[in-house]
Amino acid sequence: MKTYRLVMSCPDGVGIVAGVSGFLAEHGGWSMEANHHSDFESGYFFMRHVIKAESLPFGIEEFKARFAPVAEKFSIKWQVFDTSKIKRVMLMASKEAHCLIDLLYRWHSGELDCDIVGVISNHDDLRSMVEWYNVPFHHVPVDPNDKTESFAKVNQLIEEADSDTIVLARYMQIIPPELCQKYKHKIINIHHSFLPSFVGAKPYHQAAKR
């Protein structure tokens, strides 16, 4: 079933849910899933709707045009995605395989609905495992004294593969701020960490010492 995913955030206030839900109801939009919450520390409100595409009398481009006044009224930062467009995912990993192999297995078995366009690693250890899945493997060593050239290559690979999502599967390097900004809202870290409090190797040891 084709759906649209509407994701938004804005300064918290009265009437946001009613405004968005009212817009959908006005156009016959069937909200199949809705989530929202307030963050009291930041004063921001977050909302996510999954909308049955065929319930609307227009496509995604007209949706964007019609929803814009609602977004402007509440100062909403928002994006809407057509979920029928399969995400092109670039994975990044280092030496440990457990996060990466879980993703590759779920993708190979059809559980993950995406296209894995490649794996970038700063070590060559996982090459044979990745290539068994017929996924391109890119070894990009990282010089600890100067990472500029390495991450320029990483950026090049992401662009050449036309990736729209980057997943860090225990990639044990800190992504430079300029790449984080360039791919804002497109990078997912699936490996648990204590960042930003404990940076670098052995974060659990650092936490225990503190």
Side-chain angles (χ1 to χ4, degrees), residues 91-206:
L91 304 179
M92 298 180 67
S94 289
K95 286 186 175 183
E96 299 294 334
H98 58 283
C99 291
L100 180 63
I101 192 63
D102 183 61
L103 290 173
L104 290 172
Y105 173 77
R106 291 172 187 270
W107 167 74
H108 185 70
S109 64
E111 186 177 342
L112 285 181
D113 188 18
C114 66
D115 286 335
I116 294 181
V117 296
V119 174
I120 299 172
S121 179
N122 55 319
H123 296 280
D124 207 40
D125 302 54
L126 304 177
R127 177 183 294 276
S128 60
M129 182 188 75
V130 172
E131 291 181 344
W132 185 89
Y133 285 96
N134 293 319
V135 171
F137 183 87
H138 308 284
H139 179 211
V140 183
V142 176
D143 182 349
N145 298 313
D146 185 3
K147 302 183 179 184
T148 306
E149 185 177 342
S150 299
F151 280 104
K153 180 63 175 178
V154 166
N155 180 56
Q156 179 186 340
L157 290 167
I158 291 171
E159 288 184 339
E160 288 177 349
D162 194 24
S163 315
D164 49 30
T165 303
I166 300 104
V167 177
L168 308 181
R170 209 174 194 277
Y171 182 68
M172 304 305 288
Q173 294 289 324
I174 297 174
I175 305 297
E178 57 270 20
L179 280 189
C180 291
Q181 184 60 38
K182 180 175 182 177
Y183 298 109
K184 188 176 182 180
H185 304 313
K186 295 183 178 181
I187 302 176
I188 302 170
N189 182 17
I190 67 163
H191 178 250
H192 53 276
S193 72
F194 289 159
L195 294 175
S197 299
F198 302 99
V199 178
K202 298 184 177 180
Y204 300 107
H205 295 72
Q206 295 178 47

Side-chain angles (χ1 to χ4, degrees), residues 58-109:
F58 41 72
I60 195 166
E61 294 305 319
E62 189 171 344
F63 181 99
K64 293 175 182 178
R66 288 174 178 262
F67 185 71
V70 179
E72 184 178 0
K73 177 181 179 180
F74 296 103
S75 301
I76 296 173
K77 297 177 182 178
W78 62 286
Q79 292 178 292
V80 62
F81 305 95
D82 182 345
T83 59
S84 65
K85 182 179 182 296
I86 302 299
K87 293 290 186 183
R88 295 178 59 81
V89 179
M90 180 68 78
L91 304 179
M92 298 180 67
S94 289
K95 286 186 175 183
E96 299 294 334
H98 58 283
C99 291
L100 180 63
I101 192 63
D102 183 61
L103 290 173
L104 290 172
Y105 173 77
R106 291 172 187 270
W107 167 74
H108 185 70
S109 64

Side-chain angles (χ1 to χ4, degrees), residues 14-29:
V14 176
I16 302 168
V17 174
V20 174
S21 299
F23 166 81
L24 294 175
E26 179 184 349
H27 298 290

Side-chain angles (χ1 to χ4, degrees), residues 5 9 28:
R5 185 179 298 116
S9 62

